[in-house]
Amino acid sequence: MLLGHDALRNLCRARDLLSEVHDAKLSIEDVAREVAISPYHFIRQFEAVFGVTPHQYRIRRRLDLAKQLLAAGRHSVTGVCMEVGFSSLGSFSALFAQRIGMPPSAYRRRLRAMVQVPGTLPWELVPGCLSLMGRLPPGAFRSFREA
C-alpha cells in the first residue's frame, strides 16, 4: 500500500496519540477522527504501516510502561495497573502474564533482585576485612597508605 506524505504523517501522529498511556479515554474512533480518517480505514492503514492494530499497539505501550514501573519498584502492582490505564487488576495481571511470560509480581521480584544502586555492592560480596576496616574510626590509621 502506497501512502502519501500527509497520510503517513497522520498515521504517525495517531501512533503518538495512542502512545499517550495517560489518556485512556481516547478511543480508536477518536484517534481516527483526530487524523481525519474513517475508523475502519484507519485500522487497516495503521496495521499495514506498523504491523499491529491500533488496539494492539496501545496494549503493547501500556505493558512496556508497566514493565518500567515494576522494575523501578516504587509502585505496587495495583498502582502500576491503574497508572498504565487498566481498570481491572485481574485483567491486567492475566494479560501481563500472557504477553510477558510471568505475572507482574514475579516480574517485579525478578527484576528488583537484579537491579542495584550503581557504585554499591551487596554486603555478601564485600570482603570481610574491608567491611571491618570500614567501620573503624578515622583516627585508627596513621596514613591513607596504612589503611
Side-chain angles (χ1 to χ4, degrees), residues 59-76:
I59 295 297
R60 182 188 304 161
R61 292 291 299 145
R62 288 179 178 176
L63 291 177
D64 287 345
L65 179 59
K67 287 177 10 183
Q68 291 174 5
L69 293 173
L70 288 168
R74 288 186 223 106
H75 301 337
S76 65

Side-chain angles (χ1 to χ4, degrees), residues 3-48:
L3 292 174
H5 181 65
D6 290 337
L8 189 57
R9 185 170 1 123
N10 284 343
L11 286 174
C12 289
R13 197 168 107 229
R15 182 190 58 194
D16 293 343
L17 289 171
L18 291 169
S19 293
E20 292 296 323
V21 172
H22 302 292
D23 198 358
K25 304 263 188 261
L26 194 63
S27 69
I28 302 299
E29 289 79 17
D30 293 336
V31 174
R33 191 177 315 112
E34 184 72 28
V35 296
I37 305 173
S38 76
Y40 299 108
H41 192 59
F42 166 66
I43 292 169
R44 284 191 305 274
Q45 281 189 334
F46 192 95
E47 186 174 13

Side-chain angles (χ1 to χ4, degrees), residues 92-108:
F92 167 70
S93 296
L95 185 63
F96 191 95
Q98 177 188 9
R99 300 268 177 105
I100 308 303
M102 66 181 71
S105 54
Y107 181 86
R108 181 177 165 178

